[in-house]
Amino acid sequence: MKATDVRAMSADQLNDELLKLKKEQFNLRFQDATGQLEKTARVRQVRRDIARVKTIMAENKSAKKA
């Protein structure tokens, strides 16, 4: 996921995407704990996508205040 794609989303879409990513992160952690995780790089990718979405949400929030 690219930052330009995230910036194009509405606030509701950002919340939905964040929820989806958090669920995926939980599932990946669970797979890792049980030894079933195949794509270990996906954990890092999801974590960075979560940070990206949260950053854009914070930027949008601060832009509305100003």
Side-chain angles (χ1 to χ4, degrees), residues 29-37:
R29 280 196 321 236
F30 199 84
Q31 288 176 9
D32 188 32
T34 58
Q36 297 175 347
L37 185 62

Side-chain angles (χ1 to χ4, degrees), residues 50-64:
I50 289 171
R52 193 171 288 120
V53 169
K54 284 185 173 183
T55 300
I56 303 298
M57 289 173 75
E59 286 176 359
N60 291 345
K61 189 175 181 180
S62 66
K64 287 183 181 178

